[in-house]
Amino acid sequence: MNHPDTSVLVPDPTTDDDSGSGSGPDDLSHPAHQGPSIPKDHHRDVTGGWLRPAVFGVTDGLVSNFSLIAGMAGGDAAHQTIVLTGLAGLVAGACSMAAGEFISVASQTEVTQAEIEMERLELARRPAAEMKELAEFLTERGLDPDLALEAARQIHRDPDQALIVHVQEELGVDPTDLPSPVVAAVSSFGSFAIGAVLPLLPYLLGLNQLWVAMLLAFGGLFACGAIVSRVSSRTWWFSGLRQLLFGAVAAVVTFGLGALIGGHLS
């Protein structure tokens, strides 16, 4: 007799091995496999070349230019001097960011392309050895050795597909989706300019009050962090406060230096 608290397992007729119908869970005709397919684009894009430079550019523009403005204001600089300094910081910073991102991404892409070409030559010169290597990779990922060898053999039927799989396994990159230096540079330039102009905007409009620029800069930093949280695992308030904190520390330091140095120069 079953105990009242003991759950009774009822066999699923669709998994009956004696039926000989081949409708077990591993069969693609099984009801468990008949649901809607998962769309290919259900994940966020984490490989593109625009997100990192764009986020970094806005943050850097806000922090660096507001800190520069705060330092000049702390030294009691004239309104015209602050405007000129802010504009110079905007242009110089945006150009520097764009050039740095272009060179960095271009160099990394060139190195990756050289490695891809080397792998292409290896596939042409030693196809059997490369097939064995791929089978070993698949075995490490959990496939049975015989199945891994057969999978590697089928993948190697298409040289282009074989190259893609080998590059992904050995280099950890997708050769069909390498970051673009131009996209990185343009994203960096535009985002830095947007971030840098925000704390400068009150001075461009004729105001000469640092607290207005501070509100705009801190609001921009918090908003930037909150927006980033939409493509990350952090909460919006945590990301926003983190961005704001870093900007505030930099502004306080430069304001203090401006007040200290400006006092001695006057």
Side-chain angles (χ1 to χ4, degrees):
M1 179 180 294
N2 292 326
H3 192 277
D5 296 331
T6 303
S7 60
V8 179
L9 297 178
V10 180
D12 187 349
T14 62
T15 61
D16 186 4
D17 293 334
D18 295 331
S19 63
S21 60
S23 60
D26 294 333
D27 185 6
L28 292 179
S29 63
H30 189 272
H33 299 283
Q34 300 305 310
S37 60
I38 299 176
K40 294 182 179 180
D41 57 350
H42 69 288
H43 285 295
R44 293 184 289 260
D45 179 17
V46 297
T47 61
W50 64 271
L51 179 60
R52 184 184 64 86
V55 172
F56 182 59
V58 171
T59 304
D60 194 23
L62 279 165
V63 173
S64 63
N65 220 33
F66 176 63
S67 298
L68 189 61
I69 292 170
M72 297 300 294
D76 290 329
H79 178 268
Q80 184 178 2
T81 303
I82 294 177
V83 171
L84 181 60
T85 302
L87 288 174
L90 186 157
V91 175
C95 291
S96 176
M97 283 284 294
E101 282 293 334
F102 183 90
I103 294 172
S104 174
V105 175
S107 299
Q108 183 63 42
T109 301
E110 289 165 2
V111 170
T112 303
Q113 288 173 338
E115 292 296 320
I116 293 173
E117 186 59 28
M118 183 182 300
E119 186 63 27
R120 189 193 306 275
L121 293 176
E122 288 294 319
L123 285 169
R125 292 171 180 172
R126 305 190 305 163
E130 290 293 324
M131 185 186 301
K132 180 181 178 183
E133 182 183 45
L134 180 55
E136 292 173 353
F137 284 138
L138 296 175
T139 301
E140 292 174 359
R141 290 183 177 274
L143 270 67
D144 293 332
D146 292 339
L147 180 58
L149 184 59
E150 177 59 26
R153 183 178 293 109
Q154 294 189 25
I155 290 173
H156 271 248
R157 291 176 181 173
D158 184 350
D160 294 333
Q161 186 63 33
L163 177 63
I164 293 174
V165 174
H166 275 274
V167 170
Q168 288 175 333
E169 290 292 336
E170 298 181 37
L171 302 180
V173 297
D174 184 353
T176 65
D177 190 27
L178 297 178
S180 168
V182 175
V183 171
V186 171
S187 298
S188 242
F189 184 93
S191 58
F192 185 96
I194 292 173
V197 78
L198 200 58
L200 183 60
L201 192 59
Y203 292 93
L204 292 175
L205 296 177
L207 298 177
N208 195 28
Q209 296 175 320
L210 181 62
W211 68 269
V212 180
M214 181 185 68
L215 288 179
L216 288 175
F218 287 179
L221 285 169
F222 186 86
C224 183
I227 292 172
V228 171
S229 70
R230 296 182 63 86
V231 292
S232 69
S233 59
R234 296 292 187 179
T235 58
W236 63 271
W237 58 266
F238 177 88
S239 295
L241 288 177
R242 181 174 59 182
Q243 297 278 67
L244 193 155
L245 177 63
F246 289 151
V249 170
V252 168
V253 171
T254 53
F255 181 87
L257 288 175
L260 180 63
I261 297 174
H264 287 290
L265 293 178
S266 59

